[in-house]
Amino acid sequence: MNILLTGATGYIGKRLLPILAEENHTIYCLVRDKDRFNPPSSLRSKIVVIEGDLLKAQSLNQLPKQLDYAYYLVHSMSSSDDYDDLEEKSALNFKNAIDNTNIHQVIYLSGMTNEDKLSKHLQSRRKVEEVLSSGLFALTTLRAGIIIGSGSASFEIIRDLVEKLPLMVAPKWLKTKCQPIGIRDVLIILKKTLANKNTFNKNFDIAGSDILSYKEMLLVFAKMRGLKRRILIVPVLTPRLSSYWLYFVTSTSYKLARSLVESMKIEVVARNAEINEILNHKPVGYQDALQRTFEKINNNEIVSSWKDSYASSGFDLDINDFIEAPNHGCFKDKRTRKYTLKEKTIKKVWQLGGRNGWYYANWMWKLRGYLDKLVGGVGLRRGRTHPTKLTAGDALDFWRVLYADEKSGKLLLYAEMKLPGEAWLEFEIKDNKLVQTATFRPLGILGRLYWYSVLPLHGIIFRGMIKRIAA
């Protein structure tokens, strides 16, 4: 079968791709940026990459006519304040383009929208479903609530809250009921729904076997981690204060925190388990989903993370616009140092950030992260998805990986922190030396004042960092 996969670089898409490829399907991956799409080499023979933007209808004209099925896994939540309009436009362009192919079925992964009063986020999901349902194909909508899995936004937020706060003074929406589902079960359902005529032109709620409040989910997580936690629920936290609370404690962006808080006030409990009977699959409960997730994390088997989405930085970004550090009108801090062993030096560069830190004056990096959070930036809490692997598009603390070639030892990072300008950090192996270059393109006088004010600190941090890496 010929299958179109949208959102192939996203949290779900990255995990679904190898599952579909195992069935010997031909997978057409629609991606906005080919440079950010790095599938395993073992899958490349089964993949056809199509570069297109769902917000630009003309870019979809190259979709092949011989498509049989498609997955719609695209979401724009928190990428901008008008994400609902963007999602509707994307769905409409997709529907119009797909109507010109031989497509039989489109599978859309949505959110649970059973309540009459919905958040902006869930209203947007429902609107997308309405747009897709007007197409000339059979639509299957799978509505999920909280998804538990290594790297999922829900899991990472729960982990941040439980592991960082012995005592939580929390808003009243922690009493809201939900029905979480494990990522493995989501993928199984997505796979089994494909070409299943019993699911055509229908929508289903997909959920695990447990109905819990968010408070209960936090306490169960704490118990499984062997942590004693107390949660005090107060009625005085407004949605805005709740959003700031979630933003400062967890690794989420403020826009995403605001969207999540609005949705967490809505009960997301499945209407029935009809889909389980149709597919002959029963999803596991919350504790089993957590246990699976812990095992993946312990084995460094995190395939994808929500943090690698550009939405995690709170703004949209075209990676091609920043793929090279500029020279004109820029300040640079360039340092070179002879290394002892090339392979070891490259390995150290590829392990920068996350729990490993930045090799020198880590307290300064953490302070910079806290200050970034205070002004609405991403801070350092995003960490990294994998402890040793980096690919273009990955989030790395408050940086974004633009280019990563481990064989040659070249790594280029772009700063997603709040700055009066733009910043790059580059590492390169050249002439038996490690070359480390920090580039800053200031925005007006404020940008220039910023550069000169932090110049003494850069001298300390960058000198120490390259010395440790090359040692």
Side-chain angles (χ1 to χ4, degrees), residues 163-386:
E163 296 189 351
K164 294 175 181 176
L165 299 177
L167 172 65
M168 295 179 226
V169 180
K172 60 183 179 180
W173 49 254
L174 251 66
K175 295 181 180 179
T176 305
K177 296 291 185 181
C178 63
Q179 198 167 353
I181 183 171
I183 180 61
R184 185 184 301 179
D185 290 313
V186 173
L187 296 173
I188 291 173
I189 292 171
L190 284 168
K191 175 187 173 183
K192 287 193 170 187
T193 303
L194 183 69
N196 189 323
K197 293 186 177 181
N198 292 323
T199 68
F200 283 16
N201 294 314
K202 294 181 180 180
N203 60 70
F204 304 94
D205 292 342
I206 61 173
S209 57
D210 297 326
I211 299 176
L212 305 161
S213 69
Y214 291 110
K215 177 180 178 179
E216 289 171 329
M217 290 174 63
L218 292 170
L219 292 176
V220 169
F221 187 104
K223 183 178 180 180
M224 292 185 67
R225 294 286 290 159
L227 301 170
K228 291 184 179 181
R229 295 293 183 259
R230 293 190 63 192
I231 301 176
L232 301 179
I233 295 180
V234 295
V236 295
L237 286 180
T238 65
R240 180 181 290 273
L241 288 175
S242 297
S243 300
Y244 280 120
W245 176 75
L246 204 61
Y247 166 66
F248 280 112
V249 175
T250 72
S251 56
T252 183
S253 68
Y254 176 72
K255 289 181 179 179
L256 180 57
R258 186 177 59 189
S259 298
L260 289 174
V261 166
E262 290 175 355
S263 298
M264 285 175 173
K265 295 183 291 184
I266 311 298
E267 193 170 90
V268 282
V269 176
R271 295 163 292 176
N272 54 57
E274 180 185 2
I275 188 67
N276 299 341
E277 298 175 5
I278 293 175
L279 303 181
N280 190 28
H281 175 72
K282 184 178 180 180
V284 301
Y286 177 58
Q287 291 192 47
D288 288 334
L290 282 180
Q291 188 59 47
R292 290 175 176 177
T293 302
F294 294 148
E295 291 171 359
K296 290 291 184 182
I297 293 173
N298 291 336
N299 294 328
N300 289 327
E301 296 176 353
I302 305 177
V303 178
S304 61
S305 172
W306 78 275
K307 298 172 185 177
D308 292 332
S309 165
Y310 290 147
S312 72
S313 62
F315 62 90
D316 208 358
L317 165 71
D318 187 343
I319 199 171
N320 290 316
D321 293 341
F322 304 91
I323 198 65
E324 290 185 2
N327 291 306
H328 182 68
C330 295
F331 296 114
K332 287 184 179 287
D333 182 304
K334 186 173 182 179
R335 301 172 187 274
T336 61
R337 193 173 183 89
K338 289 185 177 181
Y339 51 75
T340 305
L341 295 172
K342 179 180 178 180
E343 292 77 13
K344 189 173 182 178
T345 300
I346 294 175
K347 183 179 180 180
K348 285 184 178 180
V349 171
W350 252 249
Q351 292 178 353
L352 278 168
R355 294 189 176 185
N356 203 35
W358 293 81
Y359 296 117
Y360 188 80
N362 277 322
W363 68 272
M364 289 188 180
W365 289 93
K366 290 178 181 179
L367 178 61
R368 183 64 182 87
Y370 292 140
L371 294 175
D372 192 51
K373 273 279 188 179
L374 288 175
V375 295
V378 296
L380 286 179
R381 291 199 181 113
R382 288 189 307 182
R384 51 184 295 158
T385 300
H386 195 279

Side-chain angles (χ1 to χ4, degrees), residues 121-149:
H121 157 224
L122 292 176
Q123 285 176 348
S124 178
R125 295 287 194 267
R126 179 180 284 180
K127 185 62 180 179
V128 169
E129 184 177 342
E130 292 173 0
V131 171
L132 295 178
S133 64
S134 66
L136 302 178
F137 46 81
L139 177 66
T140 300
T141 303
L142 303 172
R143 300 172 174 176
I146 299 295
I147 296 178
I148 301 299

Side-chain angles (χ1 to χ4, degrees), residues 9-78:
T9 60
Y11 178 74
I12 301 292
K14 276 186 178 180
R15 296 171 184 243
L16 183 61
L17 177 58
I19 294 174
L20 297 175
E22 284 180 0
E23 302 296 320
N24 292 319
H25 301 306
T26 299
I27 316 299
Y28 291 84
C29 294
L30 180 65
V31 298
R32 192 176 62 177
D33 187 350
K34 287 183 178 180
D35 293 329
R36 192 185 163 215
F37 185 52
N38 299 284
S41 56
S42 59
L43 302 180
R44 293 184 185 276
S45 62
K46 301 176 181 179
I47 295 174
V48 179
V49 182
I50 303 174
E51 194 169 63
D53 189 340
L54 290 172
L55 291 173
K56 300 175 182 177
Q58 290 185 341
S59 70
L60 305 180
N61 293 335
Q62 55 185 319
L63 290 179
K65 301 292 183 181
Q66 68 275 19
L67 292 174
D68 299 309
Y69 301 94
Y71 285 94
Y72 193 79
L73 306 176
V74 178
H75 299 306
S76 303
M77 184 176 70
S78 84

